[in-house]
Amino acid sequence: MLASQNHTLQQATDWSWMLEFLKGMVKPVAATAVVFLAVALSFYQKLGLELEMVVAILRAFIQLSIIGFVLQFIFNQDNAGWILLAYLFMVIVAGYTAGQRAKNVPRGKYVAGVSILTGTAVTMFVLVVLSVFPFTPRYIIPIAGMMVGNAMTVTGVTMKRLREDIKTQMNLVETALALGATPREATHEQVKRAVILALSPVVDNTKTVGLISLPGAMTGLIMGGASPLEAIQLQIVVMNMLIGAATLSSIMATYLCWPAFFTKAYQLQTKVFLT
């Protein structure tokens, strides 16, 4: 029993992991040399970005270090509950951020959050069911992070552009409604333009992947020792899931925006488009 207590005490006071972490941070710290070069150039050119650059890199160090410890903890637990908790946290933050981009859309944060949740959850469910990825923290959390981040950008652009297009073409929309069109029919062109504009960067990136630059997931695998062939297999899956999640999230956002844009009598909520 005494031996067991001593073992527990040793585990509690074992800080070797921290020593390893600090050793591993030598290269990241050395890489800040290029940041200080940028700061010097900003100062020389009187851009006024010096403090913002320093704060940004400090935040990156702190945030990534914290998330690294959190992920290590979750990986060690190997519990589905922690996976879902981490995923929901990402969705909430992404929904808030996308809603801020489309701040003139009523209940924008709710619309963005539900849209991102729907698009990423459906995509992730399909990938797990097809055994593309196992449902483990090491796979699901990084995958979810990539999908949520991409869907956040697409959803925010979709919501903002849809409102702006309807605002600039209110007469056309109101005429279509007066002739008996439903909100969906009356705003078909506006919805189409908003979704196409939001998805264009994702589609264009997929078209040129590997030709202009190597994607992050592929680069990370190659630098980690994986063969290029293994890396491209994963990257193909990543590009597929990004398009799927982004498209679902974008279209879902257009459906959820309508209750805020139209009355139950199929009339435009003009107060939504005043600002």
Side-chain angles (χ1 to χ4, degrees):
M1 183 176 179
L2 183 59
S4 177
Q5 289 178 341
N6 288 336
H7 178 68
T8 303
L9 183 61
Q10 286 178 350
Q11 285 185 321
T13 57
D14 185 10
W15 290 92
S16 60
W17 60 272
M18 178 58 76
L19 183 60
E20 289 299 317
F21 172 74
L22 293 175
K23 287 181 179 179
M25 290 298 288
V26 172
K27 291 182 179 179
V29 170
T32 58
V34 294
V35 177
F36 288 113
L37 175 61
V39 169
L41 288 172
S42 175
F43 178 78
Y44 179 75
Q45 295 292 330
K46 295 181 173 60
L47 301 179
L49 294 174
E50 301 87 355
L51 179 60
E52 190 172 351
M53 287 180 179
V54 173
V55 170
I57 201 65
L58 286 175
R59 283 189 58 176
F61 263 84
I62 295 171
Q63 290 168 188
L64 290 173
S65 297
I66 292 174
I67 197 63
F69 287 122
V70 171
L71 288 177
Q72 186 64 52
F73 171 78
I74 294 175
F75 289 175
N76 290 338
Q77 303 307 306
D78 197 17
N79 186 301
W82 285 106
I83 298 177
L84 296 177
L85 187 63
Y87 168 60
L88 289 176
F89 175 78
M90 289 187 285
V91 169
I92 291 170
V93 174
Y96 178 85
T97 305
Q100 285 289 94
R101 176 186 289 271
K103 57 184 177 181
N104 290 322
V105 176
R107 302 184 304 147
K109 297 179 182 65
Y110 163 79
V111 171
V114 174
S115 301
I116 294 168
L117 177 65
T118 302
T120 55
V122 171
T123 304
M124 196 154 43
F125 176 78
V126 172
L127 293 175
V128 172
V129 169
L130 294 177
S131 298
V132 177
F133 293 114
F135 192 75
T136 60
R138 189 168 296 275
Y139 284 92
I140 297 300
I141 292 178
I143 291 166
M146 286 187 282
M147 286 195 294
V148 169
N150 194 61
M152 174 189 71
T153 303
V154 170
T155 301
V157 172
T158 300
M159 294 165 60
K160 183 179 180 181
R161 182 57 187 263
L162 179 58
R163 179 191 173 276
E164 290 175 350
D165 274 10
I166 293 177
K167 179 182 178 180
T168 57
Q169 298 180 330
M170 285 181 64
N171 291 335
L172 291 176
V173 175
E174 288 176 332
T175 300
L177 291 171
L179 294 174
T182 64
R184 183 71 180 180
E185 293 168 342
T187 58
H188 174 73
E189 289 301 318
Q190 290 79 12
V191 169
K192 182 179 177 181
R193 277 195 296 270
V195 173
I196 290 175
L197 178 71
L199 290 176
S200 291
V202 181
V203 176
D204 291 343
N205 188 40
T206 304
K207 289 178 182 177
T208 59
V209 65
L211 299 178
I212 298 176
S213 62
L214 296 180
M218 182 176 175
T219 303
L221 282 172
I222 293 175
M223 292 178 68
S227 74
L229 295 180
E230 292 175 335
I232 64 167
Q233 291 169 1
L234 176 63
Q235 190 59 51
I236 290 171
V237 174
V238 169
M239 302 311 296
N240 291 341
M241 74 185 190
L242 291 182
I243 286 184
T247 304
L248 286 170
S249 298
S250 181
I251 293 174
M252 176 61 70
T254 65
Y255 277 96
L256 294 178
C257 280
W258 283 329
F261 292 164
F262 296 91
T263 66
K264 293 181 179 179
Y266 287 178
Q267 296 176 329
L268 274 175
Q269 294 272 24
T270 53
K271 63 181 181 181
V272 175
F273 304 98
L274 292 179
T275 56

